[in-house]
Amino acid sequence: MGNEMKLYDVTIIGGGPIGLFTAFYCGMREMETKIIEYLPFLGGKVSYFYPEKTIRDIGGIPAITGEELIKQLEEQSRTFDPTIVLNQQVVGLEQLEDGTFLLTSHIGEKHHTKTIILATGFGVLKSTKLDVEGAEKYEGRHLHYTVESLECFKDKRVLISGWGNSALDWANELLPITKQLSVVHRRNEFSGLERYITNLRNSSAAILSPYIIEELHGDGQNLSCASVKNLETGKVHMIEADEVLVNHGFLIDSRPMKEWGLEFQKGGIKVDRFMQTNIKGIFAAGDIASYQNKLHLIAGGFFEGPTAVNSAKAYIHPEKELKPIYSTTHF
């Protein structure tokens, strides 16, 4: 392995909001910290899928865009100068004889660490593509899987296809600026926060359920409309659309972690109240962590991350009493 490889106290796999705040708290506990992120930038799902979306469910912050939240979290995470590695997916895990871990990335780079905190969200994320013939012609122009700029939807006829909170969020966000908003949903009932559903139903948006997009129509460059099919009757309707936004969820690559011997439940990694996984020295926080009555909120992850850090600290130094640490202790 060579003596040149630095041994870190903790390596955080995942540079999203939870990973970033966790790195800050590692610094508070005076732990040598490394973050490894698969994407070429920090911020994870927030930066990738909804940088312009307004986030309202973090205590003390009435409203903040995803981009601004990540900017502040990144600044906070760098307070104690963690090592940050981008563009690497961790695929290999080996526990050495001394109890430390050797991680291997998809490009073969090795990372040596005493403990690991998994903050990967649900895994490596990619949008589920619209399964319609010829759809790829419009990708990057008028077929969107994320919103990089609200401006491209302003005064446009917009069709949203999706279900759950993400589609509802964007429908409510885009409603005030679009010329016409239509939402198609493959089920009769939406799943998501009740307020978003009520706001949408009481708005001018056209809601079609249970429908799916059957075909996109245009000249290969610009869209003009879309065919949508009623799943109960089979009847097809035409909806005028300049822009189509698809929120069909994510393709999640968590295969490497499933080969490490971690115990999974309900799509996540099972943890106890200390955020400890079934492998001693490996902890989890955020969406990937699974336990009874789990609340999938960023605010919840902000609690889980420091809990995992405290547990990692106690794992490294079991002989020491773990005293509470507050930001006022350092600043």
Side-chain angles (χ1 to χ4, degrees):
M1 187 167 55
N3 296 325
E4 73 282 356
M5 187 180 301
K6 182 174 180 177
L7 175 62
Y8 285 82
D9 292 319
V10 60
T11 294
I12 300 166
I13 302 178
I18 310 310
L20 291 173
F21 186 66
T22 300
F24 166 75
Y25 201 78
C26 285
M28 295 278 288
R29 302 239 62 127
E30 298 183 336
M31 302 171 78
E32 285 283 347
T33 307
K34 177 182 281 187
I35 303 171
I36 304 176
E37 168 57 49
Y38 171 69
L39 295 171
F41 47 79
L42 294 170
K45 183 169 64 176
V46 174
S47 293
Y48 190 73
F49 290 110
Y50 44 88
E52 291 213 1
K53 186 182 126 182
T54 301
I55 297 170
R56 304 178 188 276
D57 52 14
I58 299 174
I61 305 177
I64 189 170
T65 64
E67 181 179 27
E68 184 60 29
L69 175 65
I70 295 304
K71 179 181 177 183
Q72 293 190 27
L73 280 167
E74 183 176 349
E75 180 182 344
Q76 184 181 37
S77 74
R78 294 181 183 273
T79 303
F80 301 103
D81 298 317
T83 297
I84 297 174
V85 178
L86 301 175
N87 288 305
Q88 289 192 35
Q89 180 183 6
V90 178
V91 294
L93 169 71
E94 178 186 359
Q95 190 161 22
L96 306 179
E97 289 185 5
D98 62 0
T100 62
F101 298 94
L102 189 63
L103 299 169
T104 306
S105 78
H106 74 291
I107 61 172
E109 187 169 335
K110 305 288 186 180
H111 305 274
H112 194 198
T113 186
K114 297 177 184 177
T115 64
I116 298 165
I117 297 178
L118 301 170
T120 60
F122 288 112
V124 176
L125 297 171
K126 295 181 181 179
S127 296
T128 301
K129 297 294 185 73
L130 180 65
D131 187 17
V132 169
E133 186 176 351
E136 67 279 355
K137 294 185 296 186
Y138 300 101
E139 289 180 4
R141 294 192 185 97
H142 305 288
L143 174 58
H144 311 267
Y145 297 100
T146 182
V147 177
E148 295 181 2
S149 172
L150 292 173
E151 278 300 308
C152 74
F153 298 94
K154 189 174 182 181
D155 300 323
K156 299 288 185 64
R157 300 169 301 177
V158 178
L159 172 61
I160 296 178
S161 175
W163 47 90
N165 280 327
S166 187
L168 289 169
D169 281 358
W170 281 123
N172 280 277
E173 193 89 10
L174 294 174
L175 187 62
I177 68 171
T178 55
K179 180 179 179 180
Q180 171 187 307
L181 182 67
S182 305
V183 180
V184 297
H185 179 41
R186 67 185 306 162
R187 300 183 181 89
N188 280 313
E189 293 298 324
F190 283 90
S191 61
L193 292 175
E194 294 84 351
R195 180 172 294 278
Y196 288 154
I197 297 170
T198 300
N199 286 347
L200 194 59
R201 292 196 185 282
N202 292 337
S203 74
S204 60
I207 302 173
L208 295 93
S209 63
Y211 279 81
I212 60 169
I213 296 177
E214 181 91 333
E215 190 176 354
L216 299 178
H217 304 280
D219 60 9
Q221 297 287 327
N222 298 305
L223 282 170
S224 59
C225 58
S227 302
V228 297
K229 183 174 77 172
N230 187 308
L231 293 176
E232 292 179 349
T233 67
K235 189 174 181 180
V236 175
H237 295 273
M238 300 291 287
I239 296 180
E240 294 181 331
D242 306 304
E243 310 288 336
V244 174
L245 175 60
V246 174
N247 286 133
H248 289 177
F250 313 118
L251 295 171
I252 302 166
D253 183 8
S254 58
R255 290 171 299 175
M257 290 188 293
K258 289 183 177 179
E259 296 173 359
W260 299 348
L262 293 162
E263 184 177 351
F264 279 72
Q265 69 173 17
K266 298 180 180 179
I269 295 172
K270 184 178 180 181
V271 297
D272 61 16
R273 62 192 179 95
F274 301 104
M275 299 298 121
Q276 170 70 61
T277 70
N278 63 302
I279 301 177
K280 298 300 182 184
I282 302 181
F283 308 87
D287 283 336
I288 195 64
S290 178
Y291 53 87
Q292 190 174 9
N293 298 324
K294 167 78 175 187
L295 188 62
H296 287 280
L297 288 176
I298 291 175
F302 287 165
F303 161 77
E304 295 165 1
T307 301
V309 173
N310 285 341
S311 298
K313 183 80 171 182
Y315 175 83
I316 295 171
H317 300 291
E319 75 287 352
K320 293 184 179 180
E321 180 185 357
L322 190 65
K323 296 180 180 179
I325 295 292
Y326 309 99
S327 60
T328 50
T329 306
H330 287 267
F331 301 100

